[in-house]
Amino acid sequence: MGPPRAVDACRCRLHLSLLIGELVFAAGCARAEHVEVGVLAGSPLSAFLATLVLVARNRVYRRIAEAQERGADVAGVGDGHRRRD
C-alpha cells in the first residue's frame, strides 16, 4: 500500500465537513441545507483560489531560478563570496 494521495485526503476532509455540519444542525433544520451548500460550494472555490496562488508563486520562483542561472543579482547581494573556478 502506497502513501496517501492528495485526492483521498481532500475527499476525506469534504466528507468530514459534511458530517460535522450534520451533527451540529438537525437533519430537518433549514440551516442544515445551507451548511451542505456552503461546504459543496466552498470546496471547489478554495481549490481554485489555491491554484491561483500556487501558479503565481511558481511564476515568481521560476523567474528567480532563471535569473540565478544567468548569473544575475536577484536579491541585490553580489556573488563575491563564491569561489570562481
Side-chain angles (χ1 to χ4, degrees):
M1 191 164 134
R5 297 181 311 169
V7 173
D8 294 335
C10 291
R11 189 178 304 137
C12 180
R13 289 185 183 107
L14 175 69
H15 290 296
L16 186 62
S17 298
L18 290 171
L19 175 67
I20 290 171
E22 285 182 19
L23 292 174
V24 171
F25 298 102
C29 181
R31 291 195 184 216
E33 294 174 6
H34 292 231
V35 170
E36 188 173 333
V37 169
V39 168
L40 293 176
S43 294
L45 178 64
S46 66
F48 176 72
L49 293 175
T51 301
L52 291 179
V53 168
L54 291 175
V55 166
R57 181 195 68 128
N58 288 341
R59 188 175 301 132
V60 169
Y61 282 123
R62 189 177 304 120
R63 278 193 219 133
I64 291 172
E66 289 171 355
Q68 287 177 343
E69 286 177 4
R70 288 191 315 263
D73 186 13
V74 178
V77 179
D79 290 338
H81 65 282
R82 295 187 182 175
R83 286 184 16 196
R84 307 229 189 260
D85 292 329

